[in-house]
Amino acid sequence: MIASVLIADDHDLARAGLAAMIGREKDFRIVSEASDGAAAVAACRVHAPDLAILDIRMPELDGLAATREIRASLPTTRVLIVSMHDSLDYLEAAIEAGASGYVLKDASREDILATMRRVLDGEAFFNADLVARLLRRASSRSIPEKTGIDRLTVREREVLVKIAEGLTNKEIARRLAIAPGTVKIHIERIIAKLGVADRTQAAVLAVRSGLLPVSSQ
């Protein structure tokens, strides 16, 4: 299956670089490019791409606001943020806006392409170092009174712990000796019960609820 992709970045060279890299891959097809967030939203409404790749800092409408609009009007379009900003605040805002991934622009070609494929495969994926720092920060915050954790089954809690540890669906399946499809079903139920948008939001909530410790290293 060939996935349709939109690229939005106000820097021409950065946008051209991404387009050149993605254009060489047989499983991707670039359907539109945009130089600002408003144009990206408009183009998504026309082309309904499988994946929208957005920079955060753009004129007219920034990447976070564009993500919210795209996710609200086109729930089947996944959003990947590719940014130069190594910022926990930006990462947390991207997760809350509904982005399925966040990678830094200095990531390798292989990492960016792998992240695109994981996001299109239904997995949220964010820069590992940033997520680890975000989870440590989340663990130091006050615990919400109602998190929904108590509604999870024992198996769902086990899966949630593995999500917070950064494991993929296949890795969780191997650790718990269950099928990958079963893991996916558990994750869908976890997300629904916790009232979050994706697995990363679920992981943050798990840490804030004290479900597992976070290393301080």
Side-chain angles (χ1 to χ4, degrees), residues 7-217:
I7 303 171
D9 195 309
D10 60 322
H11 293 96
D12 294 342
L13 286 177
R15 193 171 67 251
L18 278 171
M21 177 184 72
I22 295 168
R24 290 194 290 267
E25 303 300 308
K26 294 182 179 179
D27 53 340
F28 296 129
R29 176 173 59 91
I30 299 171
V31 294
S32 185
E33 296 183 29
S35 58
D36 64 70
V41 172
C44 279
R45 288 173 176 159
V46 171
H47 299 283
D50 297 307
L51 179 67
I53 300 177
L54 309 180
D55 186 19
I56 279 192
R57 302 276 301 268
M58 293 189 290
E60 301 299 329
L61 198 68
D62 66 34
L64 298 174
T67 296
R68 284 189 288 271
E69 292 202 18
I70 292 168
R71 294 294 295 155
S73 58
L74 296 160
T76 60
T77 295
R78 299 184 181 276
V79 177
L80 171 62
I81 299 293
V82 180
S83 174
M84 62 181 291
H85 300 286
D86 181 7
S87 164
L88 293 186
D89 291 335
Y90 275 143
L91 172 61
E92 191 165 21
I95 292 170
E96 291 175 351
S100 295
Y102 188 111
V103 294
L104 299 178
K105 286 185 176 179
D106 61 2
S108 69
R109 171 181 177 277
E110 290 75 17
D111 283 346
I112 292 175
L113 291 172
T115 299
M116 291 174 62
R117 293 183 174 107
R118 287 183 67 169
V119 166
L120 285 165
D121 198 35
E123 294 189 36
F125 187 80
F126 299 84
N127 176 271
D129 290 338
L130 281 176
V131 168
R133 287 164 50 197
L134 180 63
L135 291 177
R136 287 196 293 270
R137 184 169 79 174
S139 68
S140 67
R141 293 179 174 176
S142 60
I143 299 174
E145 290 185 5
K146 295 183 178 180
T147 62
I149 296 292
D150 58 334
R151 299 178 58 205
L152 303 181
T153 65
V154 172
R155 177 62 87 185
E156 287 167 352
R157 288 188 182 214
E158 291 174 341
V159 171
L160 180 55
V161 167
K162 298 306 178 186
I163 291 172
E165 290 175 352
L167 274 62
T168 65
N169 287 8
K170 290 182 180 178
E171 291 168 339
I172 294 172
R174 285 196 296 269
R175 294 285 184 88
L176 300 181
I178 57 179
T182 302
V183 173
K184 185 176 181 180
I185 291 171
H186 282 312
I187 292 174
E188 290 172 352
R189 290 174 177 169
I190 289 167
I191 289 171
K193 288 181 179 180
L194 298 184
V196 295
D198 55 46
R199 63 194 289 143
T200 302
Q201 287 188 7
V204 171
L205 188 57
V207 174
R208 293 187 66 189
S209 301
L211 194 59
L212 77 167
V214 179
S215 171
S216 60
Q217 67 182 8

